[in-house]
Amino acid sequence: MFKNSSEKFVWIKDLEFGLKLVKLNDKSEGMAILDRDGNLSNFRLGAINTQFYDDFALVNVVFDEDYSYLTYLDKNGKLLPYVFKEAYNFSCGMGRVHLFDGTGWSYINKDGKLLDKRYFFAEDFYDDRARVCLKPE
């Protein structure tokens, strides 16, 4: 059942799109994703919002006990190639994110593209609109 994994799991939880969240039985005590083909992800999760919004789930990826980051997991079990200080569930096809580089808030779209515009503050989209505040002069 699990193609590229000889690991035993403490538990398995079904997610949407045929993905599974598994609790690993190893020293890291982390979680990982099994894709539809039974392949185990090469990343470890500290936390996951098990509900997908607009085909994305918010996840906390763990590198070691001192470093983790937020990003999004797509419906194919792949991570988007960005890391965020803060991130929120997708709504109206956009995820609200606070960037690590100190440039402020922005949005990421369903194509995995980070918008160029930066805001001092931003709220989630609702009815295809979002309230934002530009940086004060």
Side-chain angles (χ1 to χ4, degrees), residues 16-104:
E16 295 177 63
F17 309 110
L19 300 175
K20 297 181 183 305
L21 177 66
V22 297
K23 173 78 167 128
L24 301 173
N25 189 12
D26 63 10
K27 294 177 198 168
S28 72
E29 297 183 11
M31 296 177 286
I33 297 292
L34 280 172
D35 67 17
R36 288 182 286 276
D37 297 324
N39 298 310
L40 188 66
S41 65
N42 61 354
F43 52 86
R44 297 299 173 254
L45 302 173
I48 179 174
N49 181 342
T50 58
Q51 178 69 43
F52 281 73
Y53 295 88
D54 290 345
D55 299 340
F56 291 92
L58 184 59
V59 296
N60 180 307
V61 178
V62 176
F63 281 104
D64 60 40
E65 57 190 50
D66 296 324
Y67 183 70
S68 67
Y69 65 86
L70 294 170
T71 192
Y72 295 96
L73 179 76
D74 72 13
K75 64 182 180 180
N76 297 311
K78 306 292 184 214
L79 297 176
L80 292 186
Y82 298 102
V83 298
F84 307 108
K85 190 177 196 176
E86 290 181 60
Y88 294 87
N89 292 323
F90 268 68
S91 62
C92 300
M94 304 292 274
R96 176 171 54 116
V97 295
H98 194 216
L99 306 171
F100 266 116
D101 64 8
T103 59

Side-chain angles (χ1 to χ4, degrees), residues 2-9 38 40:
F2 309 118
K3 279 187 182 177
N4 298 329
S5 173
S6 59
E7 299 188 52
K8 302 290 184 210
F9 308 119
L40 188 66

